[in-house]
Amino acid sequence: MSSYTILVSGYRSTYTILSFDPSTAKIKIVSDSPAPEKASWIEPASQQHNPLQANRTLYSISETEKGLAVSLNLKDDKIEITSQKETHGGPAHVHVLKDGSGLAVVNYMGGSMIYFPFNSDGTLSDNPSELLQFEYLYKDGNAPDPERQDTPHAHQVIEDDQGHLYVCDLGNDRIWVIEKKGLNTLEIKGWLQAPPGTGPRHATFSKDGKHLYVLTELTSDVLVFSLESPTYPIIPKPDFKVNIIPPSVPKDAQQYMNAAELILNPAYPNILYASNRLEMSLEEKSKGKFSTNVNSKGDSIAIIELNDTGDELKNLRSFQTDLDNLRGMTISPDGKYLVTAGRKKGGLEVYKVVDEGRGLKLAGKIEDGVDNITDLTFL
């Protein structure tokens, strides 16, 4: 591919399209389009259902207390909003169902989930599902982290090849398994149980679908759950837990770190990338107890190499960026380039994937016009 197109959004006033040319290492802003408040996630239409429409129709959110799900259209290098619907909570993530039937939305604030069928033009229907409210499991006051786990906090929704939806719930230490019944009914099928106080944030499937890898925000661990012949509740593999915090952070200071994103390399499916954040804010977060290592120039990405079956760790590397507060991170469909951004500082950086996925090399950087990015996607 001669060049790549990247769409970014976040706590900023615009959806921004950028181009990246590997031959020149140049990243350029192509266009800015108005975005709703806190458009912190963007998701392309389903590639399986309609490949021709996948790069033109997208979906997003407004991460506010009122909460909106948003449909978008890409036309002449500009993004236009085509519909907006209330989510009845503060949304964190959306997922386009693989069959192209509609959009699943999870609310971090409110701990709930809602489904919007699509109209024929890809806009959101006026007849969503009933709101699926997740039970709060720590209501007796026994939450491991009372400040962060004060209520259910649904953070992400992804889908397996059988159409089951997996919802990471940071507040309950669970990954709920949801089925869509009929046109617009959501039902809980079962759940995966993470250890208390870990706070599941994001997850991704192994390429063969036999495992679910879960990144915990509160402890910065990667867990693996077996999905073969599931009997609920499913617990994580007991001898697999990978902590992604870099060695530059003292053990006693790790409680002030937050993990953010977890992605699988499509070209090298035994490689996972997990983003750390808040290393540059240790003094602030710890109220002066700890300070950032003088040799640290930015947050780090953990590169996790697995065995051929995907259920054992072979190697763990830490790659330091020049970015402050890594939240969004994505990889090109061909697995050749990883892109991420510093929400607080440092701009946006593109890395070339080297050494069969085991390494990253800076391939391009832009700092102007790319502040407060929380999500990125290749178009």
Side-chain angles (χ1 to χ4, degrees):
M1 184 178 289
S2 58
S3 65
Y4 295 81
T5 303
I6 302 162
L7 175 63
V8 304
S9 66
Y11 297 159
R12 46 193 282 118
S13 61
T14 64
Y15 296 111
T16 299
I17 297 174
L18 304 104
S19 66
F20 166 61
D21 185 345
S23 66
T24 63
K26 297 294 184 183
I27 304 172
K28 297 179 181 179
I29 292 178
V30 176
S31 69
D32 289 308
S33 302
E37 183 181 0
K38 292 186 175 181
S40 59
W41 193 264
I42 39 177
E43 189 91 358
S46 173
Q47 191 73 246
Q48 294 98 318
H49 180 69
N50 191 340
L52 296 177
Q53 193 177 11
N55 288 345
R56 293 188 292 108
T57 303
L58 303 105
Y59 298 89
S60 184
I61 58 173
S62 176
E63 187 192 317
T64 57
E65 189 172 340
K66 181 180 179 181
L68 293 173
V70 182
S71 64
L72 309 170
N73 186 58
L74 171 61
K75 184 177 180 181
D76 298 329
D77 289 331
K78 299 288 284 186
I79 299 291
E80 58 182 21
I81 296 172
T82 55
S83 66
Q84 301 183 81
K85 303 296 178 186
E86 291 188 22
T87 66
H88 306 287
H93 193 264
V94 297
H95 169 71
V96 179
L97 267 63
K98 292 181 179 181
D99 64 7
S101 62
L103 186 74
V105 185
V106 290
N107 291 310
Y108 181 84
M109 299 305 298
S112 60
M113 180 178 181
I114 192 168
Y115 167 77
F116 292 93
F118 290 149
N119 297 319
S120 59
D121 60 358
T123 57
L124 302 174
S125 169
D126 291 327
N127 298 301
S129 68
E130 290 187 6
L131 193 70
L132 178 61
Q133 181 65 58
F134 297 113
E135 176 188 4
Y136 181 43
L137 305 175
Y138 295 129
K139 56 192 172 194
D140 294 332
N142 58 342
D145 188 331
E147 183 178 345
R148 296 295 313 278
Q149 297 182 304
D150 56 333
T151 186
H153 287 305
H155 217 306
Q156 185 205 37
V157 53
I158 59 175
E159 181 183 4
D160 67 13
D161 289 338
Q162 289 73 48
H164 300 127
L165 300 167
Y166 290 71
V167 177
C168 290
D169 184 343
L170 183 150
N172 275 321
D173 291 318
R174 275 190 180 177
I175 301 93
W176 302 97
V177 184
I178 310 298
E179 282 188 316
K180 183 175 80 73
K181 297 287 187 71
L183 293 177
N184 63 352
T185 300
L186 299 174
E187 292 183 3
I188 296 174
K189 177 182 175 68
W191 64 85
L192 287 60
Q193 187 64 55
T198 53
R201 176 184 171 93
H202 277 196
T204 191
F205 297 104
S206 60
K207 188 174 183 179
D208 60 12
K210 294 180 179 180
H211 302 99
L212 182 73
Y213 305 109
V214 175
L215 181 63
T216 65
E217 178 170 336
L218 304 183
T219 56
S220 299
D221 293 320
V222 174
L223 311 174
V224 61
F225 294 82
S226 174
L227 301 181
E228 293 188 275
S229 305
T231 300
Y232 301 111
I234 303 173
I235 61 173
K237 194 172 185 288
D239 56 349
F240 185 106
K241 185 176 77 168
V242 179
N243 187 269
I244 68 165
I245 295 176
S248 52
V249 178
K251 186 172 183 179
D252 290 343
Q254 292 185 2
Q255 61 184 303
Y256 302 106
M257 296 283 287
N258 280 169
E261 187 59 280
L262 180 68
I263 54 178
L264 183 85
N265 190 315
Y268 305 103
N270 66 322
I271 303 292
L272 291 166
Y273 305 99
S275 64
N276 288 281
R277 56 180 173 156
L278 304 184
E279 183 174 358
M280 308 310 292
S281 303
L282 279 181
E283 187 167 2
E284 174 192 349
K285 295 295 180 181
S286 69
K287 297 181 179 179
K289 293 180 182 178
F290 299 96
S291 58
T292 302
N293 188 303
V294 293
N295 294 318
S296 295
K297 54 185 179 177
D299 284 320
S300 295
I301 298 170
I303 304 173
I304 302 166
E305 183 181 2
L306 305 171
N307 65 346
D308 290 341
T309 56
D311 57 356
E312 291 183 10
L313 176 69
K314 282 188 66 176
N315 204 350
L316 175 66
R317 296 175 176 86
S318 185
F319 176 84
Q320 190 176 91
T321 73
D322 291 320
L323 307 172
D324 184 357
N325 201 301
L326 293 187
R327 178 159 161 177
M329 183 172 68
T330 192
I331 195 163
S332 58
D334 58 13
K336 293 181 178 180
Y337 292 94
L338 182 147
V339 58
T340 186
R343 189 179 75 79
K344 290 187 175 181
K345 190 177 179 182
L348 178 148
E349 294 181 345
V350 177
Y351 302 102
K352 184 178 181 180
V353 174
V354 297
D355 191 19
E356 298 184 320
R358 303 181 191 93
L360 298 171
K361 182 179 180 181
L362 186 64
K365 181 181 179 73
I366 183 172
E367 293 190 70
D368 294 335
V370 289
D371 58 305
N372 287 310
I373 291 173
T374 61
D375 193 36
L376 320 91
T377 188
F378 282 89
L379 296 178

